[in-house]
Amino acid sequence: LLQKRKHKLWDNFWDTTAISHPLHLKTGDESYETAGNRALKTEMGIPQIKLKKIGGFNYFVPHGDNCENEYCAILTGVYNGEVTPNPDAVYTYKWVSKKEFVQKCLSNDSSYAPWAILTGDFLHNQTQ
């Protein structure tokens, strides 16, 4: 499930769904899975599903006067239900096959967010 994300630095780019950062709460830190489910619910109206971390990468990309520098965990899960995108977070969405996503990312499609391209590269290398 890809979404055209509303984002401060990478607005109107295709991205993987439910990009999130674990929160540091008074009661403890969120897991990647908890943060992912929070983002799925907030961004796409998807109820809690089982998510599994399959990998990750360090991400560093300058963007004008700003720079994003972070660790990105890659989570996967299965969902076949209704999607209700949050208009404050998402312009539109589309379902694509893993193969199509990886091919677009490997071609450095300029309509994809940089971390989405790195995710596609990671998934490509997992199948090699």
Side-chain angles (χ1 to χ4, degrees):
L1 178 60
L2 299 179
Q3 61 178 262
K4 215 159 217 195
R5 180 173 298 282
K6 292 184 179 180
H7 188 270
K8 182 178 179 180
L9 297 179
W10 302 100
D11 191 54
N12 209 27
F13 282 76
W14 284 108
D15 198 357
T16 53
T17 294
I19 300 301
S20 184
H21 300 92
L23 297 176
H24 177 71
L25 306 168
K26 289 179 183 178
T27 57
D29 295 336
E30 277 186 318
S31 68
Y32 291 111
E33 294 80 4
T34 300
N37 268 303
R38 176 176 41 82
L40 284 170
K41 180 69 174 166
T42 301
E43 296 174 9
M44 303 301 281
I46 294 174
Q48 185 168 350
I49 62 171
K50 183 175 179 170
L51 295 173
K52 178 182 175 185
K53 181 180 174 196
I54 61 170
F57 54 86
N58 290 312
Y59 164 79
F60 178 85
V61 174
H63 185 72
D65 292 337
N66 299 301
C67 179
E68 290 206 336
N69 182 9
E70 58 193 40
Y71 173 78
C72 295
I74 302 171
L75 307 174
T76 187
V78 176
Y79 180 73
N80 295 312
E82 186 177 329
V83 176
T84 309
N86 177 344
D88 293 331
V90 178
Y91 291 109
T92 189
Y93 71 95
K94 65 181 176 180
W95 293 96
V96 298
S97 69
K98 177 181 171 183
K99 180 179 178 179
E100 179 184 348
F101 172 68
V102 168
Q103 287 174 338
K104 288 280 193 178
C105 292
L106 291 177
S107 72
N108 287 314
D109 187 318
S110 63
S111 67
Y112 282 74
W115 56 82
I117 292 171
L118 291 170
T119 300
D121 184 56
F122 174 88
L123 294 173
H124 172 72
N125 290 329
Q126 294 299 301
T127 59
Q128 297 297 313

